[in-house]
């Protein structure tokens, strides 16, 4: 029977982006925990490479100066880690061309992370963008 240790280590590695990079702002950690050809797939666009990912994270942290990502659940199987994450923040800077509204948001986010040789090689991220945009006052949804 295979040891659970690699899955536990993969969980620890995957959690570092939401906890240390996104929430704590340790953007230098990206160079340590991500592969050179790292890829991130999200509604914000396809990101290839560590520097492009760093720039994307800088933009998010500038748009939401109190941004946080709380890991609620983590499941690992093979080289993949699945996480349910709660995102929070206050819209204090431009985001996706939308001027700051000063409104706060709290939404769910699903993240699948692929680990390769102890580093993050690829992520698929699916936050509740509609919920976030509604909460910060950027979009209205018609009432039924």
């Amino acid at each position: 029977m295979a040891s659970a240790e690699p899955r536990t280590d993969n969980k620890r590695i995957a959690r570092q982006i939401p906890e240390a990079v996104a929430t704590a702002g340790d953007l230098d950690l990206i160079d340590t925990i991500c592969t050179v050809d790292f890829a991130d797939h999200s509604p914000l666009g396809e990101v290839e490479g560590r520097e492009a990912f760093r720039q994307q994270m800088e933009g998010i942290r500038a748009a939401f100066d109190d941004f946080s990502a709380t890991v609620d659940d983590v499941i690992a199987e093979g080289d993949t880690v699945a996480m349910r994450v709660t995102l929070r923040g206050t819209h204090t800077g431009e985001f996706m061309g939308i001027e700051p509204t000063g409104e706060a948001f709290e939404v769910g986010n699903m993240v699948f992370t692929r680990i390769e040789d102890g580093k993050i090689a690829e992520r698929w991220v699916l936050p509740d963008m509609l919920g976030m945009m509604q909460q910060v006052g950027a979009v209205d949804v018609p009432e039924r």
Side-chain angles (χ1 to χ4, degrees), residues 15-29 33 61 69:
R15 292 178 74 117
Q16 290 182 44
I17 289 182
E19 294 173 342
V21 175
T23 300
D26 186 356
L27 301 181
D28 291 336
L29 188 60
I33 64 172
R61 291 186 49 77

Side-chain angles (χ1 to χ4, degrees), residues 42-44 87 107-110 125-130 132:
S42 80
L44 300 179
L87 304 177
V107 297
N109 183 29
M110 301 307 241
V125 183
L126 189 57
D128 177 4
M129 292 297 290
L130 179 58
M132 184 181 94

Side-chain angles (χ1 to χ4, degrees), residues 78-94:
D79 66 354
T80 303
V81 178
M83 294 183 288
R84 185 174 61 85
V85 179
T86 300
L87 304 177
R88 295 177 184 87
T90 306
H91 188 201
T92 55
E94 184 180 321

Side-chain angles (χ1 to χ4, degrees), residues 37-57 96 112 121-127:
D37 59 347
F38 168 80
D40 191 78
H41 316 279
S42 80
L44 300 179
E46 298 291 313
V47 171
E48 293 184 19
R50 295 186 293 210
E51 186 55 34
F53 184 59
R54 176 192 304 270
Q55 290 173 7
Q56 183 181 73
M57 291 307 303
M96 297 177 65
F112 285 82
E122 197 165 15
R123 293 185 347 134
W124 295 265
V125 183
L126 189 57

